[in-house]
Amino acid sequence: ETTPVATVTGLYRGTAGGLEPLTKDTPLTQDEVRRNPVFYELELADDTEDADLIIDIIYDNMQPQRLQDLFRGTDIPRGIRFWPDWFEVPPYREMRDVTGRRVYPRAPGVHTVRIRTARRLRSQPVRTRDFSPANRGYTSPVFELTIAAEADDG
């Protein structure tokens, strides 16, 4: 049985005091969505000291968005078990998911996030993204985050 190269432990919001868990019961404000990324934490497999990573995010069932590849020794220090990374909520008012349904990425309400990880093989062409179990791929469970409605100052 092959184990994933990296799994996702959760979603987090950045605060002055550090990272705080982000759940559907702890909504992001509209200002946080505009200004700040959403963080997630990777738990790296023990036996993958030299493995570089490919990562995609699937937000609200839209097409996977490619995140920056992470290279060991430059992007991720060697010898650590956990590593934070981040993504931004798509900056569009309206988009389509993989079924053609309209989605509103920054609208108030509950949104879903899944994150895929796998090894980035040095022999692999840059455009090829292989998230299969043979490449120690992983797709996270569905995480939910809530975006609050705009505060009414009037």
Side-chain angles (χ1 to χ4, degrees):
E1 179 178 322
T2 57
T3 58
V5 68
T7 57
V8 178
T9 64
L11 300 180
Y12 302 87
R13 72 163 21 104
T15 68
L19 297 179
E20 294 179 356
L22 187 59
T23 69
K24 69 178 189 176
D25 299 323
T26 56
L28 290 168
T29 65
Q30 290 288 328
D31 190 53
E32 285 176 308
V33 170
R34 280 190 293 273
R35 295 174 183 254
N36 303 332
V38 174
F39 291 88
Y40 60 93
E41 183 181 54
L42 296 171
E43 182 174 358
L44 306 167
D46 287 334
D47 63 340
T48 58
E49 178 72 21
D50 292 325
D52 298 330
L53 301 178
I54 55 174
I55 303 169
D56 283 0
I57 180 166
I58 303 164
Y59 186 87
D60 277 350
N61 202 35
M62 292 186 286
Q63 287 290 334
Q65 297 295 308
R66 179 182 181 147
L67 298 181
Q68 178 180 334
D69 294 351
L70 297 177
F71 294 92
R72 284 299 185 113
T74 55
D75 299 316
I76 302 176
R78 297 185 193 285
I80 62 164
R81 282 282 315 277
F82 296 95
W83 186 251
D85 200 15
W86 58 272
F87 66 90
E88 291 182 350
V89 173
Y92 307 104
R93 193 177 74 74
E94 181 180 304
M95 296 179 77
R96 302 267 179 184
D97 73 3
V98 294
T99 66
R101 178 180 65 98
R102 283 189 180 115
V103 293
Y104 305 93
R106 293 187 171 209
V110 177
H111 298 270
T112 60
V113 176
R114 287 187 315 167
I115 299 170
R116 301 189 308 186
T117 63
R119 284 187 306 178
R120 180 186 185 279
L121 303 175
R122 297 188 201 291
S123 62
Q124 190 174 347
V126 175
R127 294 174 194 243
T128 303
R129 312 279 287 173
D130 178 7
F131 292 95
S132 70
N135 201 31
R136 300 192 63 181
Y138 162 84
T139 300
S140 74
V142 175
F143 293 104
E144 293 183 326
L145 63 89
T146 302
I147 298 175
E150 196 76 60
D152 185 10
D153 296 334

